Amino acid sequence: GARRRVVTVTHRSTVVLALVALGSCGDGGPGAVTAERCRVDLHGKGDRGADAALVDGVAVLRPDGNGEGWGGREWRYDDPDERAAAIAVVREAVAAAGCERVALHGFSNGAAFAAALVCSGETLDGRLAGAVVDDPVSDAATLGCRPDPSVQLALYWTGALGDIAPPGTDCAAVDWTCAGGAVRDIDEFAADLGVSVTPSPFDEHRRFDDAPEPARWLSG
């Protein structure tokens, strides 16, 4: 109904505004920034990647998603070919920057893709230290999850997406990109990953830029 349309547009605008602000400080295209330690930020649906930046000795990489969505880019990972294509984007960014140790931070659609990547057993050739799954679209990405035991995980949840689309919602009805086509309960999504749900410091759908795990993982 009308209420759903208003909420969805507000959510979409929030995602775009938050992530455009994040991407505004880039200072080089792919391959222009190199470092042994890298954080790969995976944007939400409707946003785009941005230039790489060097922050406190860490290369912050912001690749574009492998599909188009909401006038920007998105991560598509629902079938094996799409997931392989999305992982290839991450691999190319990591190779171009010369990364030896990598932390992923995925937000929203990018968080669900980060979960799908980890659940596929991907380690980026042993370089992946961990992944933050930040306010994900809780879909079927984690069904049959088989993460490599060397990869650490953290999951943050604001609860805002659950208010917009409770478990069982048809993703097409809210114009979301979901593995399996429907929203799942966040606790089931987390259980498949083998992690607990950690409350985000925000109650709106907003990226937790200051999540402490990537810095800790990259210093190990």
Side-chain angles (χ1 to χ4, degrees):
R3 185 172 183 274
R4 173 177 288 174
R5 286 196 295 272
V6 171
V7 172
T8 301
V9 170
T10 301
H11 156 63
R12 186 182 308 180
S13 300
T14 300
V15 172
V16 172
L17 287 174
L19 290 175
V20 166
L22 173 68
S24 63
C25 61
D27 63 1
V33 173
T34 60
E36 290 187 358
R37 296 178 297 147
C38 300
R39 191 184 82 201
V40 181
D41 289 346
L42 305 173
H43 61 74
K45 182 174 180 176
D47 198 57
R48 296 183 181 273
D51 289 344
L54 192 64
V55 181
D56 297 329
V58 174
V60 180
L61 312 178
R62 304 178 180 114
D64 274 330
N66 62 317
E68 296 182 0
W70 287 356
R73 305 294 294 177
E74 67 175 350
W75 298 98
R76 296 180 180 168
Y77 51 87
D78 191 15
D79 65 50
D81 288 342
E82 287 182 332
R83 185 171 62 245
I87 292 173
V89 172
V90 175
R91 282 181 159 273
E92 288 166 10
V94 166
C99 308
E100 294 297 331
R101 190 169 180 85
V102 177
L104 297 182
H105 187 144
F107 172 67
S108 194
N109 163 250
F113 164 53
L117 180 150
V118 171
C119 284
S120 73
E122 179 66 46
T123 68
L124 304 177
D125 299 322
R127 295 178 173 86
L128 183 57
V132 173
V133 179
D134 186 4
D135 225 25
V137 174
S138 51
D139 60 9
T142 61
L143 289 177
C145 191
R146 294 182 176 84
D148 189 278
S150 68
V151 178
Q152 302 178 75
L153 287 162
L155 189 157
Y156 288 95
W157 182 245
T158 67
L161 293 187
D163 293 337
I164 296 168
T169 298
D170 180 353
C171 292
V174 289
D175 197 17
W176 288 4
T177 297
C178 298
V183 177
R184 298 175 64 220
D185 182 81
I186 187 61
D187 290 320
E188 295 176 359
F189 182 93
D192 291 340
L193 271 175
V195 296
S196 299
V197 178
T198 301
S200 171
F202 308 113
D203 56 12
E204 72 272 21
H205 185 52
R206 177 177 170 186
R207 180 187 167 92
F208 182 22
D209 282 324
D210 296 327
E213 287 84 3
R216 186 168 69 242
W217 295 333
L218 291 175
S219 67

